[in-house]
Amino acid sequence: MKTLKELVNLDEPGMKLIKEWLKDAKNSCEFLPCDEKRAENELLALQVTTRSPMGALVYGSGGLIINHGWMRVFGSGCEKMKRGIVSFNQAVQENFSPFSAPYLLIADDVLGGNFAINAGGLGKDAGKIYYLAQDTLEWQSLNVGYSEFLDFAFNGDLAKFYEGFFFENWQEEVAAISFDEVFAFMPFLWTKEGANINSVSKRAVSAEENFRLTLEFMQNLKR
């Protein structure tokens, strides 16, 4: 285990690069404030140097809010989004360890979709980002690494990626829930009856509750 001093890189800080990316971002991005104690604890648990974009984001930010709250990229957590990258993974993955878990959740969206770095449990392409969509309940590789994922969040065509899922009045409804909540849909988006997102009902639930329920559905459907 590296110490905090070993993990914090002052000579080549990754945060400098992230802030440069943010200046040119096409999508709306909110940089959440950093809580020093949370940042130290999350970075120590994650064991990633701040020279990397991930380590820099965890140590220097509570997280990133993309597209008016539609997507949330995990940092170290703060009052506005209490979930830190490690604390959230610990809450939803049994016996979670950054060194042995099948994947590391790094972001989510209001649909209850989750982004994760494959650590070997999702496919042979370790290090690549996968997306777990609510309409398929399957992990799908995006064929990008973490830095490329941030570029997608900042500049990607979200309208195309989420085509058919920006429900009516989504900005007003997303603004009314917390960054630790997602929408649960009924009928479920993965059912035939839930194919049209504007014809289903929805309610805000905790992101932790939603992810656990998603895993249960995935396991049951495989039986």
Side-chain angles (χ1 to χ4, degrees), residues 5 7-13 50 59:
K5 186 176 181 180
L7 294 171
V8 177
N9 189 308
L10 300 177
D11 297 323
E12 299 176 282
T50 59
Y59 190 63

Side-chain angles (χ1 to χ4, degrees), residues 1 9 21 30-32 44-45 48 59 65 67 86 91 93 99 125 129 137 153 161 165 179 190 204-205 216 220:
M1 293 285 288
N9 189 308
W21 292 340
E30 180 182 352
F31 191 87
L32 295 182
L44 280 170
V48 175
Y59 190 63
I65 304 303
N67 200 35
V86 175
Q93 293 196 64
F99 313 108
D125 53 349
I129 307 299
L137 295 187
F161 185 82
F165 289 98
F179 298 140
W190 48 268
V205 299
E216 288 183 19
N220 291 335

Side-chain angles (χ1 to χ4, degrees), residues 47-218:
Q47 288 288 295
V48 175
T49 174
T50 59
R51 184 176 183 274
S52 71
M54 180 188 292
L57 187 61
V58 169
Y59 190 63
S61 169
L64 294 173
I65 304 303
I66 308 297
N67 200 35
H68 310 289
W70 185 269
M71 287 176 59
R72 307 83 170 263
V73 182
F74 304 141
S76 52
C78 61
E79 283 305 304
K80 293 188 73 172
M81 182 168 72
K82 296 180 172 59
R83 295 176 293 156
I85 188 169
V86 175
S87 59
F88 183 61
N89 277 276
Q90 289 175 332
V92 298
Q93 293 196 64
E94 188 174 353
N95 301 318
F96 173 80
S97 167
F99 313 108
S100 60
Y103 52 80
L104 176 72
L105 297 167
I106 59 166
D108 67 2
D109 57 43
V110 296
L111 301 173
N114 292 269
F115 298 90
I117 293 180
N118 176 24
L122 302 178
K124 296 181 179 180
D125 53 349
K128 296 298 184 181
I129 307 299
Y130 276 64
Y131 179 61
L132 175 57
Q134 285 292 318
D135 64 322
T136 65
L137 295 187
E138 294 180 353
W139 287 105
Q140 300 172 323
S141 178
L142 302 183
N143 297 311
V144 298
Y146 186 81
S147 294
E148 293 169 297
F149 169 74
L150 289 183
D151 180 64
F152 162 72
F154 297 157
N155 303 298
D157 187 347
L158 300 184
K160 181 178 180 180
F161 185 82
Y162 289 105
E163 186 174 5
F165 289 98
F166 282 109
F167 47 84
E168 295 173 359
N169 301 316
W170 71 266
Q171 290 191 349
E172 292 83 355
E173 295 201 44
V174 169
I177 69 173
S178 86
F179 298 140
D180 293 306
E181 294 178 315
V182 300
F183 286 114
F185 299 89
M186 185 61 68
F188 302 115
L189 298 184
W190 48 268
T191 65
K192 180 180 179 180
E193 295 77 12
N196 183 351
I197 198 166
N198 288 308
S199 66
V200 301
S201 64
K202 54 185 173 297
R203 64 185 179 89
V205 299
S206 79
E208 290 183 15
E209 174 188 340
N210 185 78
F211 186 74
R212 293 194 193 97
L213 186 61
T214 298
L215 293 184
E216 288 183 19
F217 283 138
M218 292 170 67

